[in-house]
């Protein structure tokens, strides 16, 4: 294929690019180029998507497939206006954050969406609403040749967000004293970035169409931590704590500095990490074993530096403070 990736220098886009090149496709990436270099073998068209001329270099050909990852409605609409008529297939990578309700375990693609965001550019607080607006624009322009992939939490090597569990295997590899492993049965759900990229390319090659929740298998929280302990070689004891105690201590859920990665204790979000995913599996999305994903993640973490500062998860110092307070 002659494949165009609108992005391609950040995590998912770069992984799609890498795999597409391995499959023998020609890959062009349109990006500012500030998130890093494109994968070797790809062509970078450096452009600011706020400029009307951003797509001028792409209008000399038709594209077998276009993949869009942006969450800014202005970027998505601009690309569609310029390229929809030149693309045989279009993929829009959306998010399960587009859903209005996250309290239902096992929900699927029929669940209600948020109201779409207004305006071409929005703040991060309206991320879900912006994704809805981008989906609507894509459906209006290329609905008969469109895949909408509502990604859940993306995991695996290269996750600089820290949300996919780098707050677990990496700290557990740093020390062998006890850790906290609360909340048996609380669901976690992560899709490996490599599995997601592989599946998106399969759909583009087949020119499939449809809307899918691209989510991983549900793994209970305590099982996720046990797998992380096994991978990291952690042999210390495990402390069990109550959710409210952690909240009272100022531990944030799921993401952000000094948070507990993968932890979503609010009942109103009970389904956020427990969506069905059946439609995507039926369409060919396959998941590598969680142990393999965690092993690869820890290998990447070691290369990056186990003691580096992360954007999510508890620091070693903070976890030790919490364990000391728990003893007290």
């Amino acid at each position: 294929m002659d494949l165009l990736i609108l992005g391609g220098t950040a995590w998912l886009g770069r992984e799609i690019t890498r795999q597409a090149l391995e499959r023998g496709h020609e890959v062009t990436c349109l990006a500012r180029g500030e998130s890093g270099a494109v994968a070797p073998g790809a062509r970078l068209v450096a452009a600011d998507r706020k400029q009307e001329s951003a797509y001028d270099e792409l209008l000399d050909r038709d594209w077998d497939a276009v993949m869009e990852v942006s969450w800014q409605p202005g970027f998505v609409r601009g690309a569609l206006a310029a390229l929809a008529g030149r693309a045989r297939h279009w993929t829009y990578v959306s998010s399960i954050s587009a859903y209005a309700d996250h309290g239902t375990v096992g929900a699927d693609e029929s669940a209600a969406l948020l109201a779409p965001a207004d305006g071409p550019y929005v703040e991060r607080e309206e991320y879900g609403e912006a994704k809805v607006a981008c989906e609507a624009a894509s459906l209006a322009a290329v609905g008969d040749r469109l895949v909408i992939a509502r990604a859940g939490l993306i995991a695996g090597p290269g996750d600089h967000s820290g949300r996919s569990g780098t707050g677990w295997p990496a700290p557990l590899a740093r020390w062998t004293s006890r850790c906290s492993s609360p909340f048996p049965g609380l669901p976690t759900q992560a899709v490996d970035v490599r599995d997601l990229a592989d599946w998106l390319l399969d759909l583009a090659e087949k020119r499939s169409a449809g809307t899918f929740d691209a989510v991983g298998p549900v793994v209970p929280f305590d099982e996720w931590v046990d797998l992380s302990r096994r991978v990291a070689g952690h042999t210390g004891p495990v402390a069990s704590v109550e959710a409210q105690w952690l909240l009272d201590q100022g531990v944030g859920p799921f993401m952000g500095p000094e948070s507990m990665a993968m932890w979503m204790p609010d009942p109103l979000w009970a389904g956020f990490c427990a969506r069905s995913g059946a439609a995507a599996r039926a369409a060919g999305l396959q998941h590598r074993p969680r142990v393999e994903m965690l092993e690869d993640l820890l290998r990447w973490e070691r290369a990056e530096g186990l003691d580096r500062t992360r954007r999510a998860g508890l620091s070693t110092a903070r976890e030790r403070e919490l364990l000391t307070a728990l003893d007290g």
Side-chain angles (χ1 to χ4, degrees):
M1 296 189 300
D2 203 353
L3 174 64
L4 171 63
I5 300 178
L6 301 173
T9 59
W11 188 28
L12 175 59
R14 200 172 196 279
E15 180 61 24
I16 294 170
T17 302
R18 186 188 68 77
Q19 291 194 28
L21 291 167
E22 286 185 347
R23 294 185 183 208
H25 300 313
E26 298 286 336
V27 184
T28 298
C29 301
L30 177 79
R32 289 178 300 175
E34 295 178 358
S35 298
V38 296
R43 176 173 74 109
L44 173 65
V45 174
D48 181 351
R49 295 181 68 179
K50 287 187 176 181
Q51 303 298 319
E52 291 185 6
S53 60
Y55 306 98
D56 287 355
E57 288 191 46
L58 307 176
L59 303 180
D60 61 343
R61 73 187 75 179
D62 290 337
W63 300 90
D64 293 308
V66 175
M67 294 196 177
E68 168 72 275
V69 299
S70 177
W71 58 278
Q72 288 293 359
F75 289 176
V76 171
R77 292 174 187 142
L80 289 164
L83 301 168
R86 293 182 171 274
R88 297 181 179 89
H89 187 269
W90 199 282
T91 299
Y92 180 61
V93 181
S94 187
S95 168
I96 61 170
S97 295
Y99 289 110
D101 172 61
H102 296 286
T104 303
V105 173
D108 62 17
E109 294 81 1
S110 65
L113 300 177
L114 294 165
D118 293 326
Y121 307 108
V122 300
E123 299 299 324
R124 176 64 68 170
E125 290 74 16
E126 292 186 272
Y127 178 79
E129 292 87 345
K131 283 291 192 182
V132 175
C134 295
E135 286 188 17
S138 301
L139 281 166
V142 290
D144 60 337
R145 48 209 155 97
L146 172 67
V147 163
I148 293 176
R150 292 180 185 140
L153 178 65
I154 303 175
D159 179 18
H160 287 281
S161 77
R163 295 177 301 168
S164 69
T166 55
W168 286 106
L172 291 172
R174 288 200 303 259
W175 55 308
T176 58
S177 56
R178 69 185 178 137
C179 72
S180 58
S181 177
F183 327 118
L186 192 73
T188 71
Q189 190 171 43
V191 58
D192 191 289
V193 65
R194 297 162 295 181
D195 298 335
L196 177 57
D198 180 64
W199 177 67
L200 292 175
L201 286 168
D202 284 346
L203 295 180
E205 290 173 354
K206 297 172 185 175
R207 298 189 188 175
S208 301
T211 299
F212 308 94
D213 287 342
V215 295
V218 176
V219 178
F221 190 94
D222 51 327
E223 183 178 332
W224 179 269
V225 177
D226 285 344
L227 288 173
S228 298
R229 294 180 71 223
R230 187 198 315 172
V231 166
H234 181 269
T235 57
V238 176
S240 180
V241 298
E242 297 294 330
Q244 190 57 52
W245 185 86
L246 282 176
L247 294 170
D248 290 343
Q249 297 294 317
V251 176
F254 198 68
M255 61 184 294
E258 303 299 358
S259 64
M260 183 166 284
M262 307 291 286
W263 176 51
M264 188 67 79
D266 189 339
L268 294 177
W269 289 76
F272 184 77
C273 293
R275 300 198 67 84
S276 165
R281 291 194 300 275
L285 177 56
Q286 299 183 36
H287 304 290
R288 70 191 62 215
R290 303 296 86 179
V291 167
E292 178 184 327
M293 182 176 71
L294 285 167
E295 288 173 343
D296 293 344
L297 178 58
L298 181 55
R299 191 175 299 111
W300 174 78
E301 279 282 344
R302 291 185 187 280
E304 292 290 305
L306 291 178
D307 294 315
R308 65 189 174 87
T309 301
R310 293 173 178 78
R311 294 160 59 186
L314 292 171
S315 64
T316 301
R318 182 63 177 135
E319 180 154 345
R320 286 172 174 161
E321 288 175 2
L322 291 169
L323 289 171
T324 299
L326 187 65
D327 288 338

